[in-house]
Amino acid sequence: MKNIVNEKMKIDSMKHVTKKMNLAIMEDPEYFYVPLSQHIGQISSEIVKKGDYVKQYQKIGEIQGNVSAAVHSPISGVVEEIIENPVVNGNKVKTVKIRNDFKYNSENMERRAMESLSEYTKREILDVIKESGIVGEGGAQFPTYVKYDIGDKVVDTFILNGSECEPYLTADYTIMNEWTEQFFDGIKIVEKLLNPKKTVIGIEEENRELVERFSEVSRKKNMTNIEICVLPTAYPQGSELQLIKTITGKEIKKGNLPVNYGVVVSNVGTVKSVYDAFIEGKPLIERVVTISGEKTEEKGNYLIKTGTPLGHIIEKINPEKDAKIIFGGPMMGEEVKDMNVPVIKGTSGILFLSGNIDNIERNNCISCGYCVDACPMGLMPMKFEEMYRKGKYKKLVKLNLDMCIECGACEYSCPSRVPLIKSIKEGKGMLREMRAEGGIK
């Protein structure tokens, strides 16, 4: 076991509220809104039409292009229509609206035993992952079969990201705690694909009690080569590049593929989904979501099917009407107001918080440098805001705006409440437009 000294920004975690609560199952709604884009890359192509009857686990969206992911029906029922429906970022995407018949008639699933793992080739395992629509569940939502198809590259370190550094969120902890054996079997399946020299599970200091449980299961499964790394309970420790630097000492620039540096990182939920796909034959149609915040009495970790709309969740937990609703964590999550926005494969939390960011008093930058100290990428956020405000967009390139991971640590630490994240996101959007027009490289 390895311990890392805490050198990052401390934020009140608020995880104690839901950490020890048993996993609950969210009651299913009558209507599901299943987006055909729940991943980075090209939207999947619908292979159903209005009026079709679909079974649970049936594929309804087919992969398009080199980076895409299949989409499956979370329940059985009739396709009401295919519509343009909002997702978390406010964009409208093609969505399959399904009326639930509550019969859960399902496709026949091909189950496998862990003992048969040696009988399968890497390509066969990758095909299972591909057909199951598995994507990164830690936020990036990168198609997992693409990440694991490493060719002849050598993986020195396979990192399981259990560092759930955003406040409130305990979904990953719930997976590691409630499904420890399945999680370890998932690791074993992925290890066959990557053949890493070393496998490391990174967990935060406040979850140290998992060490004994992990050690016991690893011995039981003869997986004693796994190293458990206890990380600081600090933000943004769970960021992929920050995690790699902390565990391996390797500094990788944003935009570069970690596998080219001998490292692969996977969220613990993703690896559990690999287990579900290979052993149970289940595609990714549900996930653990933390529901928390001071504006709701009903809190906990819920197993929720993808496509479940926000309106249904609100109906079931009855939060206060003036709550600010965040999908994800309070630092990097997105505020949501449309009741038809659904849970997707990357939804780690739904928070009901007090306060409205529009009412926060904003002041001018006082050049204190706190945002620079807080930035895990060593950038100068106050300069991003200044150059964006002044319209000097080309200077954002020289300031390495593209390296920003949008963790929000800068704005959190700013005593003047300068709208740093707004300027960063809008600045990146401006650079994308200028590049598309050939204005900059």
Side-chain angles (χ1 to χ4, degrees):
M1 184 179 74
K2 184 177 181 182
N3 289 276
I4 305 294
V5 177
N6 186 351
E7 296 177 347
K8 302 301 165 195
M9 185 174 71
K10 279 199 172 250
I11 299 175
D12 291 339
S13 78
M14 301 300 293
K15 296 178 186 292
H16 66 279
V17 177
T18 58
K19 179 177 172 179
K20 294 300 183 181
M21 299 177 76
N22 292 330
L23 180 65
I25 298 176
M26 178 65 67
E27 183 180 332
D28 291 335
E30 181 179 6
Y31 290 100
F32 279 79
Y33 295 79
V34 186
L36 293 170
S37 179
Q38 301 185 47
H39 51 272
I40 287 176
Q42 195 167 351
I43 186 171
S44 62
S45 174
E46 75 269 24
I47 52 176
V48 293
K49 62 184 184 300
K50 181 179 179 179
D52 284 354
Y53 182 81
V54 293
K55 292 183 177 181
Q56 187 179 36
Y57 307 131
Q58 179 180 329
K59 188 189 294 184
I60 60 175
E62 185 62 87
I63 288 172
Q64 288 194 106
N66 295 325
V67 180
S68 186
V71 177
H72 302 78
S73 176
I75 39 81
S76 60
V78 175
V79 175
E80 287 273 312
E81 53 186 336
I82 297 175
I83 60 175
E84 295 290 321
N85 191 67
V87 288
V88 173
N89 62 11
N91 295 334
K92 289 189 175 182
V93 303
K94 192 172 284 189
T95 299
V96 181
K97 182 181 178 182
I98 305 172
R99 183 170 185 172
N100 188 359
D101 66 4
F102 295 96
K103 294 180 180 178
Y104 301 98
N105 297 321
S106 66
E107 293 271 82
N108 292 326
M109 298 180 291
E110 184 180 353
R111 293 182 170 85
R112 305 169 184 85
M114 274 303 296
E115 292 75 21
S116 68
L117 179 61
S118 61
E119 301 171 11
Y120 289 84
T121 65
K122 291 183 179 181
R123 180 50 52 190
E124 287 171 331
I125 297 171
L126 282 170
D127 285 344
V128 170
I129 294 171
K130 182 178 182 179
E131 288 300 306
S132 299
I134 299 172
V135 303
E137 294 181 41
Q141 297 162 63
F142 190 81
T144 303
Y145 75 93
V146 179
K147 174 178 275 194
Y148 291 166
D149 191 1
I150 62 171
D152 59 0
K153 293 184 173 67
V154 175
V155 176
D156 296 313
T157 310
F158 175 38
I159 300 175
L160 285 307
N161 189 355
S163 178
E164 202 169 18
C165 60
E166 280 259 26
Y168 293 98
L169 304 186
T170 54
D172 289 348
Y173 175 86
T174 299
I175 291 169
M176 293 186 289
N177 187 52
E178 297 223 4
W179 290 311
T180 312
E181 295 207 11
Q182 294 93 327
F183 170 49
F184 271 74
D185 282 343
I187 294 173
K188 189 176 290 187
I189 294 166
V190 179
E191 283 183 327
K192 174 157 183 177
L193 296 174
L194 303 180
N195 192 28
K197 296 178 182 178
K198 180 171 64 174
T199 297
V200 181
I201 304 174
I203 60 172
E204 291 183 290
E205 173 66 39
E206 65 180 336
N207 296 332
R208 178 180 283 274
E209 69 274 12
L210 289 174
V211 172
E212 183 177 350
R213 185 173 180 82
F214 284 175
S215 298
E216 178 185 341
V217 172
S218 64
R219 285 193 299 269
K220 177 181 175 182
K221 294 183 176 293
N222 195 30
M223 297 171 67
T224 52
N225 62 316
I226 291 179
E227 180 181 320
I228 304 165
C229 185
V230 178
L231 303 160
T233 299
Y235 186 81
Q237 186 59 73
S239 164
E240 181 178 67
L241 299 183
Q242 186 62 46
L243 190 65
I244 291 171
K245 181 180 177 181
T246 302
I247 290 177
T248 70
K250 296 179 179 180
E251 293 196 42
I252 302 174
K253 288 187 176 181
K254 192 171 183 288
N256 292 343
L257 293 176
V259 70
N260 292 333
Y261 296 81
V263 183
V264 173
V265 180
S266 274
N267 172 264
V268 298
T270 307
V271 174
K272 166 61 166 55
S273 292
V274 169
Y275 168 89
D276 291 339
F278 187 79
I279 302 298
E280 302 293 340
K282 290 172 56 178
L284 180 50
I285 54 92
E286 61 188 4
R287 63 156 297 140
V288 179
V289 179
T290 300
I291 293 179
S292 190
E294 60 271 17
K295 288 289 187 173
T296 177
E297 292 292 329
E298 295 292 329
K299 301 176 176 69
N301 289 288
Y302 291 81
L303 192 61
I304 304 180
K305 291 184 176 67
T306 55
T308 301
L310 171 60
H312 173 77
I313 294 169
I314 287 177
E315 181 183 315
K316 292 302 173 186
I317 69 168
N318 194 29
E320 295 180 32
K321 295 189 184 303
D322 63 343
K324 176 183 176 181
I325 305 169
I326 301 291
F327 267 47
M331 302 297 287
M332 297 183 72
E334 298 276 0
E335 184 173 4
V336 174
K337 296 180 180 179
D338 194 307
M339 294 298 103
N340 282 343
V341 169
V343 168
I344 61 172
K345 298 173 184 181
T347 306
S348 54
I350 302 175
L351 306 180
F352 298 89
L353 305 176
S354 60
N356 188 323
I357 196 166
D358 296 330
N359 295 330
I360 293 175
E361 182 180 353
R362 300 289 189 177
N363 298 302
N364 293 330
C365 174
I366 58 174
S367 301
C368 64
Y370 288 177
C371 62
V372 178
D373 292 339
C375 180
M377 304 302 291
L379 303 174
M380 300 179 70
M382 75 282 204
K383 287 295 183 181
F384 297 152
E385 191 277 335
E386 179 187 352
M387 293 303 111
Y388 175 74
R389 175 167 38 84
K390 292 180 177 180
K392 298 180 179 180
Y393 305 126
K394 289 185 178 181
K395 289 195 174 182
L396 293 174
V397 178
K398 293 181 179 180
L399 289 167
N400 294 314
L401 177 63
D402 290 326
M403 286 288 291
C404 172
I405 61 175
E406 299 177 25
C407 67
C410 55
E411 189 164 317
Y412 181 86
S413 65
C414 177
S416 296
R417 305 301 297 159
V418 174
L420 297 168
I421 289 299
K422 182 175 184 291
S423 64
I424 287 168
K425 289 184 176 181
E426 292 184 1
K428 285 184 177 181
M430 185 60 68
L431 291 184
R432 283 193 295 271
E433 289 181 17
M434 293 175 70
R435 285 176 176 130
E437 295 170 358
I440 58 172
K441 294 183 179 180

